[in-house]
Amino acid sequence: MAELEQAAWPDLYAGGSVESLVAELDWIITDAIDNAPRSLQTRIGPSEIGIPCDRRIGYKLAGIAPVNERGIAWKPFIGTAVHEQLGAIIDSFNARVPGFNEVGPRFLIEWRVPVGSINGTDIDGSCDLYDRVTGTVLDWKCVGGEQLLKYKANGPGEQYRIQAHAYGRGWQRRGFKVSNVAVYFLPRDREFDRRHVWSEPYDEQVAVKALERVDGIAKLATLGPGAMSMLRTADAWCRFCPNFKPGSTDLTASCPGDAAATAPSNTLSSLIA
């Protein structure tokens, strides 16, 4: 490679400052996050079919524009970066396992799997990991300390549990044996030894029932925005919902939130957590 001319770039940005550098870096980073495939995805995926709030799913299926902009999706970006690094680490391990050249990798990373269909639309997703030895489907979750404690005490919640079984169904439909599903919770702001793994035997009916529920919501959503008032709400982190607008009375465009989830005492406790 030819020697770079060190003076060339400063000449292009005469009078540049650290402040202008920071502004440019901020734009580079935030633009990449805003335009990442995950941020631009509009079709519902396996990670969303277990959301307990019917109305939130209805807004997504009806294509109603978000009103609750949360800013840059920094935490999801951290999770994506961790996923990519873990994938690279495990792929490297795969290649070192004896027999790799004869039978292929033990761990299958980020394979797309078909979980089923919703209102005639095929739904698939990219599964984090499948272990060919134990028949285990696994999903990484990078979470904060308070959430980690909650998952240790109470399990993964229905959304993550359904997502795991949906991926299990996808692997099964691709012809792989699925024995177990697991969620591997990684601490985002604590040491690695605080990680927690939840697992249970694979049950296809968990995924099937979730798909049937969302299929019903989808059919109702085809009636238009006015159908949103017919969909029940549930505590599903309302303040992070893209369609949440406190005090909203026009359910065709936004939701005031689940009454129990947005009660003053609950809102205060969630902010403290």
Side-chain angles (χ1 to χ4, degrees):
M1 180 183 293
E3 289 292 326
L4 294 176
E5 295 183 12
Q6 191 171 15
W9 276 100
D11 287 347
L12 291 173
Y13 289 87
S17 64
V18 173
E19 288 76 13
S20 64
L21 164 66
V22 171
E24 191 164 9
L25 289 174
D26 283 350
W27 180 86
I28 292 169
I29 293 167
T30 57
D31 180 69
I33 294 173
D34 284 343
N35 290 287
R38 179 190 181 105
S39 298
L40 298 175
Q41 180 178 322
T42 57
R43 189 179 65 174
I44 196 166
S47 64
E48 298 167 293
I49 63 173
I51 291 174
C53 179
D54 291 355
R55 189 179 294 167
R56 179 166 176 173
I57 292 175
Y59 282 123
K60 173 88 175 189
L61 294 169
I64 295 176
V67 296
N68 182 21
E69 298 292 345
R70 293 178 53 198
I72 301 304
W74 179 247
K75 290 180 180 178
F77 171 75
I78 293 173
T80 299
V82 170
H83 277 64
E84 290 176 354
Q85 284 296 304
L86 290 171
I89 289 168
I90 294 170
D91 266 343
S92 176
F93 170 82
N94 273 334
R96 300 196 305 270
V97 174
F100 171 77
N101 291 330
E102 290 75 31
V103 298
R106 169 179 175 178
F107 299 109
L108 306 182
I109 309 299
E110 296 293 347
W111 279 37
R112 293 205 73 81
V113 294
V115 304
S117 64
I118 293 172
N119 200 26
T121 299
D122 291 335
I123 303 299
D124 63 9
S126 181
C127 180
D128 294 341
L129 181 146
Y130 171 79
D131 177 20
R132 294 171 66 197
V133 172
T134 63
T136 298
V137 172
L138 183 143
D139 195 63
W140 310 109
K141 296 294 181 189
C142 195
V143 300
E146 294 297 326
Q147 286 300 102
L148 186 63
L149 293 175
K150 185 187 82 169
Y151 295 133
K152 281 186 175 182
N154 304 318
E158 280 302 286
Q159 183 175 355
Y160 290 164
R161 177 174 179 258
I162 287 170
Q163 180 184 5
H165 285 279
Y167 283 137
R169 186 169 193 257
W171 282 105
Q172 187 179 60
R173 296 179 83 204
R174 288 200 64 163
F176 291 84
K177 178 182 178 182
V178 180
S179 300
N180 308 285
V181 297
V183 181
Y184 198 122
F185 291 101
L186 295 157
R188 187 171 53 229
D189 51 7
R190 303 191 180 191
E191 297 300 327
F192 176 76
D193 62 5
R194 302 296 294 275
R195 69 100 179 94
H196 170 65
V197 181
W198 167 90
S199 68
E200 70 180 15
Y202 168 61
D203 182 353
E204 184 182 18
Q205 286 305 304
V206 173
V208 169
K209 289 177 181 177
L211 288 165
E212 289 174 347
R213 167 186 167 243
V214 178
D215 187 67
I217 296 171
K219 287 179 169 57
L220 190 60
T222 61
L223 299 177
M228 296 306 113
S229 62
M230 302 166 63
L231 295 171
R232 69 177 183 84
T233 62
D235 185 353
W237 289 85
C238 288
R239 62 194 177 96
F240 295 114
C241 174
N243 300 98
F244 175 56
K245 184 177 180 180
S248 172
T249 57
D250 181 9
L251 296 182
T252 65
S254 58
C255 177
D258 179 69
T262 56
S265 59
N266 287 346
T267 302
L268 179 61
S269 64
S270 67
L271 290 172
I272 294 173

